Structures are given as C-alpha cells and as structure tokens.
Amino acid sequence: MKNKTQKSIPERKLWAQYDALQLGSGWDEKDITKPQILIEDVYGDSHPGSVHLNQLTEQAKYGVFECGGFPAHFHATDICDGCAQGHDGMNYILASREVLCDMVELHGSATPWDGLILTSSCDKSVPAHLKAAARLDIPTIFIPGGSMRPSPYMATSMRAGDISLRQKREGQISDQEVRDYKLTGCPSCGACAFLGTASTMQCMAEALGLALPGSALVPATMRDILQYSRNAGRKIMELIEQGISAGMIMTKEAFYNAFVIHSAIGGSTNAMIHMPSIARELGIILDPDEIDEINHRIPHIANVTPSGSYPTEAFWFSGGIPMVQLYLKDYLKLDVITVTGRTLGENLEDLQKENFFERNLGYLANYGLTRDQVIISPEKVDEMGSIAVLKGNLAPEGSVVKYSACDKKLYSHRGPARVFDSEEDAHKAVVKGEINPGDVIIIRYEGPRGSGMPEMFMTTEAIVCDPKLNGSVSLITDGRFSGATRGAAIGHVSPEAEVGGPLAFVREGDIIEYDIHGRKIDCIGIDGKLKEADEINRIFQERAKEGIIPRPARKGLLKRYTSLALSAMQGAGYE
C-alpha cells in the first residue's frame, strides 16, 4: 500500500488526549499512526442472524492487520422480526433501521476513520448499514452474514405460520409436532433460509457493488463466509489507497442494476422501502414507476422460496447473485465500479476464470439438484419480474404487491371490503373463521405514521394456511409484509390512513377491485353497490369530514419515528 497516512492526523495534533485515549484502549504507538478502520457489526444474542457475526469481524480484523491498517471494533445489536411477531414489539422493527443507521453515523463521525467495514444479516440491520455507508461516504465494504441451514425436507422457519394457526385452533395440532418444529425450524445461525427481506437485502448489497462478488447468502456455517470476511479486511485497504468511497459505488446506475436483480430473484417487497431510503442518503430519488417498468421486462429466474421451491443455501450453491448477473448481463450496466475496485463486468470475468460458477455445484448434487432447477436460464421462463406498483383511488401515490408469490387466480379480484383498524383484529377474525372466501381484508392505521409500519405476516400466513381462504382472499394495507409473505398481499398503500389517505374512508361492504396486470387498485362500490368514480370520490370526501381515528399517545423512539416518517413509497425514513 503506497499511502498509509491517516485522515485523523489533524485531529490528533489538535488534542494530545486523542492518542492517549487510544493507547489506553490497548493500542500501541505504531497502531495509532496506521490507517484506522471502523468495523461495525450487530453481533449479539438477539437472533441467529447476529449471534455469529463476531467470527466474521475477527477475520476482517486479521485482513486489515495483514495490509498495514488498524481495526477498531464497534457494536450496535439489532432486533428480530420473528421474535416481535404478533405483538406491539413489531411496531419498533422498522424504526430500528433508523436507530442503527444513526448509531453507525455517530461511531463514524465522532472521530475520522479511513475506512469502514460493516457486517449484518437481517431485515433492518442490512439496510441500516447501507444507509449509514451512504451517509458517511468513506471507503466501505459490507460483509453479508449469510444463510441459515435448511430445516428438514428442505423446509424453512416459515413453517411457523401453519404451526401457529393450528395452535390457535383447538385440536388441530399435537404438542409433539409443535416441539419438533421448534427444535428444527432454525437449525443454525444465519439469516432465515427463504428469500425474505434479510436474504433480499444481502443480495441488494452485493447487487449494488458494496459487497464482494458471491458473498451474499453464503451458508453461515461454511468456511467460505470466513474467507470472504478476511478478504474484506484486505480489500478495504485497497479501496482507501484508490480513494473509492461508498457514494462512488452506490450510483443511480448501481441502483438500477440492483432492481434488475431484485426483479429476477423475486425479492422482498420491503426492498421497495429500504432501497429508496438508502438512495435518499445519496441525493438519489428512485421513481416507483421506473422500478415497476423494470419488472415488466426482467425474467424471474430464481426458484427460491417463498416465490419458488428451494432454500437460499441452494441458491448460493447454484452460483448466487453472480450467476443471475451472468444470465442477465445484457440488461445490466456492466461498467459500474464495485468494492473490488473493478467493474461489474470485470468481476464476472474474474469469477469465471477462477471457477466460481462450477466449484459449488457438487453441494447441489448432495441434494439431488442441478443448477437449472434453482436458477433457471432466462429463455426457459415465462414470468417477467416479481413486484408491481398499483395505483388508483385507494393508493394515489402507489402500493406494492409481490405477484411472484401470489396465486395467479388472484392477479385480479373484486370483492367486499372487510375493514380492520389493526392487524390484531384482522388476525383474530381469520382465526375465528369470520372471513369468507372472496373477501378483501383492509388493515389500516399500520403505516409509518400510524403505528411504525409493522409487518402483517401473521395474518397473511393465517390466510394462506387456511384451505377455505387460500387462493380467494386478498389483503390490502398501509402496513408492510414479511419477505416471506405469500398470497394476494398488497401493502405500502400511500398516502396512509394516518395522514388522511383514502384507505381511512373505506367502510365494511364497499367493493374493492384491483388488477395486477393493469397496475390498478380502486374502490368501485359503496355498501355493496357499484358506483361511478366521481360518486366514490364525493362519498369519500363526505366521510373524510368525520376525521380519522386518533393516534394513541406514544413516547420516546416510537413517538419520534411515527411523527417524522416519510410515506412508504418514499422509503419510510426521515426527511
């Protein structure tokens, strides 16, 4: 490395205690003259996605040491959607993204750092880290925390929906079946083994160019993840020498590439919240209609649950994100710069030369699988994209549906509204058998300003796990969904009910219609009778005079978040 000077020299000369404090932390006099690398993780005992990250950061530290830098290790532990499922804890989950981002900003701004290494696995910590990388805009590498091992019979922890629904209905499940699930549902550390938000955002980090090629969704128990971590420690020193910052990598073109990959893999709808929020940190505004347009023309080639059949481990064995990029290279901007210091096109050439695409196929063979069962050649698929943006008199600013995980029978639907002002009430109605085939469930006041935008996974899983309702009942909400959500689930409705959006003025028995191919979502009838659009608008204006439901008193973090959050279609962050 040619230039081993550090950014903090002026600050260290200003105040002698600066060096004294570092020496008092166990550094020696040579250490304090080296380029200093901030290593941030969310290590802790909170969930399987974080409990192993200390092993990754340890390897990253070795890589930094090897190349003449000095690493400093900071932590801010994340929280788990699964542990927050179905109770008020879920209201804090999206807000935690902003808190984690702020913590990394604090750590990264109080003293000057020459480079930044970030590692996390899961739903809100990965986008928090990417937001912080954008905000700090120094040389940065992200290390994905990898994939959990699959459950028995190539299943995943997502079986919790079926298990939990039958637990609530007397006589439908034995204690032994529940215990067997608990002992096998999460068999290792790593992000849950389906392409939920955690796995999606690992993929987005790599697709943006901020993670080393091939590093997203590595099985968390394999040696490969340790190697990627060591390489990240080495590579950060090269990025410092080359002067390549996070903002030089996460360009408008890089976000375009990431959404091409998102369309192709059937990624989580939550990326439609996180990616715009990350981009805003760089002054980039992502147009939802442009994202929708990408989904019109990109083949959906990843056969990964919940949109497909196989767990994320199989996806990585098949070649992971680089294989998808190789298949779709004609759609991608190959000249974007990445954390290797080379372009995306050059990275793909390097991976081919070093046999990356063939090396792990034997692991697939252990399961009796071949690559084309998991990542399908584009010319062999019919479905284009995975996400649609729907607009209409219910969602003037837009709403989002993951149609790749939806029964095609429900690509368009008309039905009576069943209106609930919280997810808890809607879930109880499903469990008690009070929802009928053909109904359209409306859950409102669950947007960013309403309650912090919790996910509706418990209710969507109750619907798809109920034979009477699966394939006939739709759910529309200003809240969000788990990346594991299946079925006709339309979320992120904006403007949300809490700010006076149209969803607040729908009543029981109104007629709701949506069309995924037509990208439309509307109220077309009042109290069971079809009406013209002008009449619907007039009636909604009359209902609006009654006002909206008052928001419960809140304090602390949740009060701050629900008072300041942008709409879901703008990323649900702060202005």
Side-chain angles (χ1 to χ4, degrees), residues 91 421 445 449-451 498 549-555 558-559 562-563:
N91 296 338
D421 294 330
Y445 297 103
R449 293 287 185 100
S451 63
E498 178 59 37
I549 295 175
R551 183 168 54 185
R554 298 195 174 103
K555 60 184 179 180
L558 192 58
K559 179 181 180 180
T562 57
S563 298

PDB file of all heavy atoms in Angstrom, residues 91 421 445 449-451 498 549-555 558-559 562-563:
ATOM      1  N   ASN A  91     -44.016  -2.979  16.190  1.00  0.00           N
ATOM      2  CA  ASN A  91     -44.078  -1.562  15.833  1.00  0.00           C
ATOM      3  C   ASN A  91     -42.704  -0.893  15.861  1.00  0.00           C
ATOM      4  O   ASN A  91     -42.511   0.159  15.255  1.00  0.00           O
ATOM      5  CB  ASN A  91     -45.017  -0.810  16.785  1.00  0.00           C
ATOM      6  CG  ASN A  91     -46.454  -1.281  16.675  1.00  0.00           C
ATOM      7  OD1 ASN A  91     -46.863  -1.845  15.668  1.00  0.00           O
ATOM      8  ND2 ASN A  91     -47.233  -1.055  17.716  1.00  0.00           N
ATOM      9  N   ASP A 421     -58.968  -1.843  11.851  1.00  0.00           N
ATOM     10  CA  ASP A 421     -58.092  -0.729  12.197  1.00  0.00           C
ATOM     11  C   ASP A 421     -56.801  -1.170  12.873  1.00  0.00           C
ATOM     12  O   ASP A 421     -56.036  -0.333  13.358  1.00  0.00           O
ATOM     13  CB  ASP A 421     -58.841   0.261  13.097  1.00  0.00           C
ATOM     14  CG  ASP A 421     -59.984   0.936  12.361  1.00  0.00           C
ATOM     15  OD1 ASP A 421     -59.881   1.111  11.128  1.00  0.00           O
ATOM     16  OD2 ASP A 421     -60.995   1.289  13.007  1.00  0.00           O
ATOM     17  N   TYR A 445     -54.180   2.107   9.371  1.00  0.00           N
ATOM     18  CA  TYR A 445     -53.515   2.736  10.525  1.00  0.00           C
ATOM     19  C   TYR A 445     -52.282   1.949  10.951  1.00  0.00           C
ATOM     20  O   TYR A 445     -51.872   1.993  12.109  1.00  0.00           O
ATOM     21  CB  TYR A 445     -54.477   2.923  11.699  1.00  0.00           C
ATOM     22  CG  TYR A 445     -55.616   3.847  11.369  1.00  0.00           C
ATOM     23  CD1 TYR A 445     -56.884   3.349  11.095  1.00  0.00           C
ATOM     24  CD2 TYR A 445     -55.411   5.227  11.294  1.00  0.00           C
ATOM     25  CE1 TYR A 445     -57.935   4.198  10.755  1.00  0.00           C
ATOM     26  CE2 TYR A 445     -56.456   6.085  10.954  1.00  0.00           C
ATOM     27  CZ  TYR A 445     -57.704   5.567  10.684  1.00  0.00           C
ATOM     28  OH  TYR A 445     -58.731   6.416  10.341  1.00  0.00           O
ATOM     29  N   ARG A 449     -46.545   6.430   9.839  1.00  0.00           N
ATOM     30  CA  ARG A 449     -47.057   7.414  10.795  1.00  0.00           C
ATOM     31  C   ARG A 449     -48.112   6.803  11.716  1.00  0.00           C
ATOM     32  O   ARG A 449     -48.357   7.304  12.812  1.00  0.00           O
ATOM     33  CB  ARG A 449     -47.675   8.606  10.053  1.00  0.00           C
ATOM     34  CG  ARG A 449     -46.686   9.453   9.267  1.00  0.00           C
ATOM     35  CD  ARG A 449     -45.826  10.298  10.169  1.00  0.00           C
ATOM     36  NE  ARG A 449     -44.957  11.189   9.421  1.00  0.00           N
ATOM     37  CZ  ARG A 449     -45.197  12.477   9.213  1.00  0.00           C
ATOM     38  NH1 ARG A 449     -46.302  13.035   9.681  1.00  0.00           N
ATOM     39  NH2 ARG A 449     -44.337  13.210   8.531  1.00  0.00           N
ATOM     40  N   GLY A 450     -48.747   5.736  11.277  1.00  0.00           N
ATOM     41  CA  GLY A 450     -49.819   5.139  12.071  1.00  0.00           C
ATOM     42  C   GLY A 450     -49.324   4.390  13.279  1.00  0.00           C
ATOM     43  O   GLY A 450     -49.655   4.717  14.419  1.00  0.00           O
ATOM     44  N   SER A 451     -48.508   3.353  13.052  1.00  0.00           N
ATOM     45  CA  SER A 451     -48.015   2.554  14.183  1.00  0.00           C
ATOM     46  C   SER A 451     -46.558   2.152  14.024  1.00  0.00           C
ATOM     47  O   SER A 451     -46.067   1.321  14.771  1.00  0.00           O
ATOM     48  CB  SER A 451     -48.878   1.295  14.339  1.00  0.00           C
ATOM     49  OG  SER A 451     -48.776   0.488  13.190  1.00  0.00           O
ATOM     50  N   GLU A 498     -53.308   7.168   8.397  1.00  0.00           N
ATOM     51  CA  GLU A 498     -52.999   8.099   9.488  1.00  0.00           C
ATOM     52  C   GLU A 498     -52.870   9.546   9.017  1.00  0.00           C
ATOM     53  O   GLU A 498     -53.135  10.472   9.776  1.00  0.00           O
ATOM     54  CB  GLU A 498     -51.704   7.663  10.191  1.00  0.00           C
ATOM     55  CG  GLU A 498     -51.241   8.554  11.315  1.00  0.00           C
ATOM     56  CD  GLU A 498     -52.262   8.705  12.442  1.00  0.00           C
ATOM     57  OE1 GLU A 498     -52.941   7.707  12.752  1.00  0.00           O
ATOM     58  OE2 GLU A 498     -52.380   9.811  12.995  1.00  0.00           O
ATOM     59  N   ILE A 549     -59.153   8.135  12.967  1.00  0.00           N
ATOM     60  CA  ILE A 549     -59.038   7.651  14.343  1.00  0.00           C
ATOM     61  C   ILE A 549     -57.818   8.292  15.005  1.00  0.00           C
ATOM     62  O   ILE A 549     -56.721   8.290  14.432  1.00  0.00           O
ATOM     63  CB  ILE A 549     -58.908   6.115  14.367  1.00  0.00           C
ATOM     64  CG1 ILE A 549     -60.192   5.479  13.843  1.00  0.00           C
ATOM     65  CG2 ILE A 549     -58.593   5.614  15.773  1.00  0.00           C
ATOM     66  CD1 ILE A 549     -60.104   3.977  13.714  1.00  0.00           C
ATOM     67  N   PRO A 550     -57.985   8.866  16.203  1.00  0.00           N
ATOM     68  CA  PRO A 550     -56.829   9.490  16.872  1.00  0.00           C
ATOM     69  C   PRO A 550     -55.723   8.481  17.138  1.00  0.00           C
ATOM     70  O   PRO A 550     -55.981   7.331  17.497  1.00  0.00           O
ATOM     71  CB  PRO A 550     -57.424  10.003  18.197  1.00  0.00           C
ATOM     72  CG  PRO A 550     -58.895  10.075  17.966  1.00  0.00           C
ATOM     73  CD  PRO A 550     -59.215   8.982  16.982  1.00  0.00           C
ATOM     74  N   ARG A 551     -54.491   8.915  16.972  1.00  0.00           N
ATOM     75  CA  ARG A 551     -53.347   8.046  17.230  1.00  0.00           C
ATOM     76  C   ARG A 551     -53.146   7.908  18.730  1.00  0.00           C
ATOM     77  O   ARG A 551     -53.250   8.902  19.473  1.00  0.00           O
ATOM     78  CB  ARG A 551     -52.102   8.639  16.579  1.00  0.00           C
ATOM     79  CG  ARG A 551     -50.856   7.774  16.723  1.00  0.00           C
ATOM     80  CD  ARG A 551     -49.744   8.261  15.830  1.00  0.00           C
ATOM     81  NE  ARG A 551     -49.457   9.675  16.041  1.00  0.00           N
ATOM     82  CZ  ARG A 551     -48.587  10.357  15.302  1.00  0.00           C
ATOM     83  NH1 ARG A 551     -47.966   9.772  14.307  1.00  0.00           N
ATOM     84  NH2 ARG A 551     -48.359  11.624  15.554  1.00  0.00           N
ATOM     85  N   PRO A 552     -52.853   6.709  19.213  1.00  0.00           N
ATOM     86  CA  PRO A 552     -52.587   6.544  20.656  1.00  0.00           C
ATOM     87  C   PRO A 552     -51.392   7.379  21.093  1.00  0.00           C
ATOM     88  O   PRO A 552     -50.478   7.643  20.311  1.00  0.00           O
ATOM     89  CB  PRO A 552     -52.280   5.044  20.788  1.00  0.00           C
ATOM     90  CG  PRO A 552     -52.803   4.418  19.552  1.00  0.00           C
ATOM     91  CD  PRO A 552     -52.740   5.445  18.476  1.00  0.00           C
ATOM     92  N   ALA A 553     -51.401   7.794  22.346  1.00  0.00           N
ATOM     93  CA  ALA A 553     -50.259   8.537  22.888  1.00  0.00           C
ATOM     94  C   ALA A 553     -49.024   7.645  22.882  1.00  0.00           C
ATOM     95  O   ALA A 553     -49.085   6.479  23.267  1.00  0.00           O
ATOM     96  CB  ALA A 553     -50.575   9.007  24.298  1.00  0.00           C
ATOM     97  N   ARG A 554     -47.908   8.194  22.437  1.00  0.00           N
ATOM     98  CA  ARG A 554     -46.659   7.435  22.395  1.00  0.00           C
ATOM     99  C   ARG A 554     -45.548   8.272  23.011  1.00  0.00           C
ATOM    100  O   ARG A 554     -45.675   9.482  23.177  1.00  0.00           O
ATOM    101  CB  ARG A 554     -46.308   7.053  20.947  1.00  0.00           C
ATOM    102  CG  ARG A 554     -47.357   6.142  20.308  1.00  0.00           C
ATOM    103  CD  ARG A 554     -46.821   5.497  19.045  1.00  0.00           C
ATOM    104  NE  ARG A 554     -47.778   4.520  18.536  1.00  0.00           N
ATOM    105  CZ  ARG A 554     -48.591   4.732  17.501  1.00  0.00           C
ATOM    106  NH1 ARG A 554     -48.555   5.874  16.865  1.00  0.00           N
ATOM    107  NH2 ARG A 554     -49.431   3.794  17.114  1.00  0.00           N
ATOM    108  N   LYS A 555     -44.443   7.613  23.299  1.00  0.00           N
ATOM    109  CA  LYS A 555     -43.304   8.319  23.862  1.00  0.00           C
ATOM    110  C   LYS A 555     -42.019   7.780  23.270  1.00  0.00           C
ATOM    111  O   LYS A 555     -42.002   6.714  22.635  1.00  0.00           O
ATOM    112  CB  LYS A 555     -43.287   8.176  25.388  1.00  0.00           C
ATOM    113  CG  LYS A 555     -43.202   6.731  25.875  1.00  0.00           C
ATOM    114  CD  LYS A 555     -43.285   6.664  27.401  1.00  0.00           C
ATOM    115  CE  LYS A 555     -43.225   5.201  27.876  1.00  0.00           C
ATOM    116  NZ  LYS A 555     -43.299   5.111  29.357  1.00  0.00           N
ATOM    117  N   LEU A 558     -40.618   5.543  19.477  1.00  0.00           N
ATOM    118  CA  LEU A 558     -41.773   5.298  18.619  1.00  0.00           C
ATOM    119  C   LEU A 558     -42.526   6.598  18.327  1.00  0.00           C
ATOM    120  O   LEU A 558     -43.023   6.794  17.212  1.00  0.00           O
ATOM    121  CB  LEU A 558     -42.705   4.263  19.254  1.00  0.00           C
ATOM    122  CG  LEU A 558     -43.789   3.703  18.323  1.00  0.00           C
ATOM    123  CD1 LEU A 558     -43.184   3.050  17.092  1.00  0.00           C
ATOM    124  CD2 LEU A 558     -44.670   2.704  19.073  1.00  0.00           C
ATOM    125  N   LYS A 559     -42.607   7.476  19.305  1.00  0.00           N
ATOM    126  CA  LYS A 559     -43.231   8.775  19.070  1.00  0.00           C
ATOM    127  C   LYS A 559     -42.451   9.552  18.021  1.00  0.00           C
ATOM    128  O   LYS A 559     -43.032  10.151  17.101  1.00  0.00           O
ATOM    129  CB  LYS A 559     -43.305   9.571  20.368  1.00  0.00           C
ATOM    130  CG  LYS A 559     -43.919  10.951  20.188  1.00  0.00           C
ATOM    131  CD  LYS A 559     -43.959  11.716  21.503  1.00  0.00           C
ATOM    132  CE  LYS A 559     -44.578  13.093  21.308  1.00  0.00           C
ATOM    133  NZ  LYS A 559     -44.633  13.865  22.578  1.00  0.00           N
ATOM    134  N   THR A 562     -42.937   7.792  14.443  1.00  0.00           N
ATOM    135  CA  THR A 562     -44.269   7.931  13.859  1.00  0.00           C
ATOM    136  C   THR A 562     -44.652   9.388  13.628  1.00  0.00           C
ATOM    137  O   THR A 562     -45.618   9.669  12.907  1.00  0.00           O
ATOM    138  CB  THR A 562     -45.337   7.252  14.745  1.00  0.00           C
ATOM    139  OG1 THR A 562     -45.293   7.799  16.064  1.00  0.00           O
ATOM    140  CG2 THR A 562     -45.109   5.748  14.810  1.00  0.00           C
ATOM    141  N   SER A 563     -43.920  10.321  14.199  1.00  0.00           N
ATOM    142  CA  SER A 563     -44.176  11.740  13.953  1.00  0.00           C
ATOM    143  C   SER A 563     -43.430  12.267  12.737  1.00  0.00           C
ATOM    144  O   SER A 563     -43.849  13.259  12.132  1.00  0.00           O
ATOM    145  CB  SER A 563     -43.772  12.570  15.179  1.00  0.00           C
ATOM    146  OG  SER A 563     -44.533  12.218  16.312  1.00  0.00           O
TER     147      SER A 563
END
